[in-house]
Amino acid sequence: MYELNAKKSDEELVTLSQNGDKQATEILMLRHAGLVRGCARGFFLIGGETEDLIQEGMIGLYNAIGEYRQGERNSNFKNFAYLCVSRRIIDAVKASARKKNSPLNTATSIVAEAEVLTGGLNPEDMLILQDDRREFRQKMSGVLSDFEFKVTTMYMDGMSCAEICEATGKSGKSVDNALQRSKRKLQEVLR
């Protein structure tokens, strides 16, 4: 039965899904997971990760399955799903950037702060941590461009994207793109 459903078109699967076929829903979610990942890759979520955006996109995809009406506006399901996914992701990015969420986006753990203030790390651990950080920065400098290195270092030091923009004189998009490129390059190096 699963193989029979997997051979059906998106529109046929949507009809089955809207009539309660959970298998059809699962097939559509799996079939369009790449669309969601591709859409999420183009955005940056303040205080979050790409996985958070993918989760939001999957919610958008699930909603698209329930809301799609065949024949309306001559749109096929994939186009409709892309629209729903991208809108959901954009809404999540906008929500994270709003000032009302800034206390949550910049929150730190009281326990972590207390450990730092009370000397939660002994001197030996602090020295090892400094050596690890120095070694990581050396790896970064060998892989990243000067601008990517500068932006990534500032970001690792706790500066916000807005502060990095102000310090470098670059646009938010330019800083965000540099951070995304750095992330991809560093993931390859650390594997």
Side-chain angles (χ1 to χ4, degrees):
M1 185 72 167
Y2 187 82
E3 289 179 15
L4 292 175
N5 279 344
K7 293 178 183 177
K8 294 187 185 233
S9 71
D10 287 345
E11 288 73 16
E12 290 171 317
L13 289 170
V14 167
T15 302
L16 289 171
S17 176
Q18 289 174 348
N19 290 327
D21 187 339
K22 294 186 187 312
Q23 197 176 69
T25 305
E26 184 180 330
I27 292 169
L28 281 167
M29 296 294 284
L30 290 172
R31 189 179 283 179
H32 295 288
L35 176 138
V36 173
R37 279 191 300 279
C39 192
R41 226 177 283 137
F43 293 93
F44 176 74
L45 185 64
I46 298 171
E49 295 188 12
T50 304
E51 286 300 316
D52 297 326
L53 290 175
I54 290 172
Q55 187 68 30
E56 287 295 325
M58 292 302 281
I59 292 169
L61 177 59
Y62 184 79
N63 290 340
I65 293 169
E67 295 172 11
Y68 180 72
R69 299 292 172 255
Q70 198 164 351
E72 279 189 23
R73 293 184 231 138
N74 296 325
S75 174
N76 65 22
F77 176 74
K78 186 173 184 175
N79 291 342
F80 181 75
Y82 178 79
L83 183 67
C84 291
V85 167
S86 61
R87 284 183 180 168
R88 181 75 185 210
I89 290 172
I90 289 168
D91 288 347
V93 170
K94 284 181 181 177
S96 76
R98 285 190 195 117
K99 295 284 185 210
K100 72 177 187 178
N101 292 328
S102 65
L104 294 175
N105 292 341
T106 59
T108 59
S109 167
I110 293 173
V111 174
E113 292 293 327
E115 284 181 359
V116 169
L117 291 174
T118 60
L121 293 175
N122 64 38
E124 183 182 4
D125 290 340
M126 289 176 61
L127 193 58
I128 291 170
L129 190 62
Q130 286 174 345
D131 285 343
D132 288 347
R133 188 175 174 116
R134 191 176 312 115
E135 184 179 327
F136 182 68
R137 284 181 187 237
Q138 286 174 343
K139 284 183 182 179
M140 281 177 34
S141 67
V143 174
L144 303 178
S145 70
D146 290 340
F147 181 64
E148 290 167 347
F149 179 80
K150 185 176 184 179
V151 168
T152 304
T153 303
M154 290 176 167
Y155 189 75
M156 286 172 45
D157 288 340
M159 291 179 73
S160 70
C161 287
E163 291 170 330
I164 295 171
C165 291
E166 191 175 311
T168 60
K170 299 286 185 175
S171 70
K173 187 68 177 167
S174 178
V175 168
D176 179 47
N177 287 342
L179 284 171
Q180 293 299 321
R181 285 191 309 272
S182 298
K183 183 178 175 183
R184 281 192 299 274
K185 288 178 181 179
L186 292 173
Q187 284 174 341
E188 289 298 319
V189 168
L190 296 174
R191 285 185 186 173

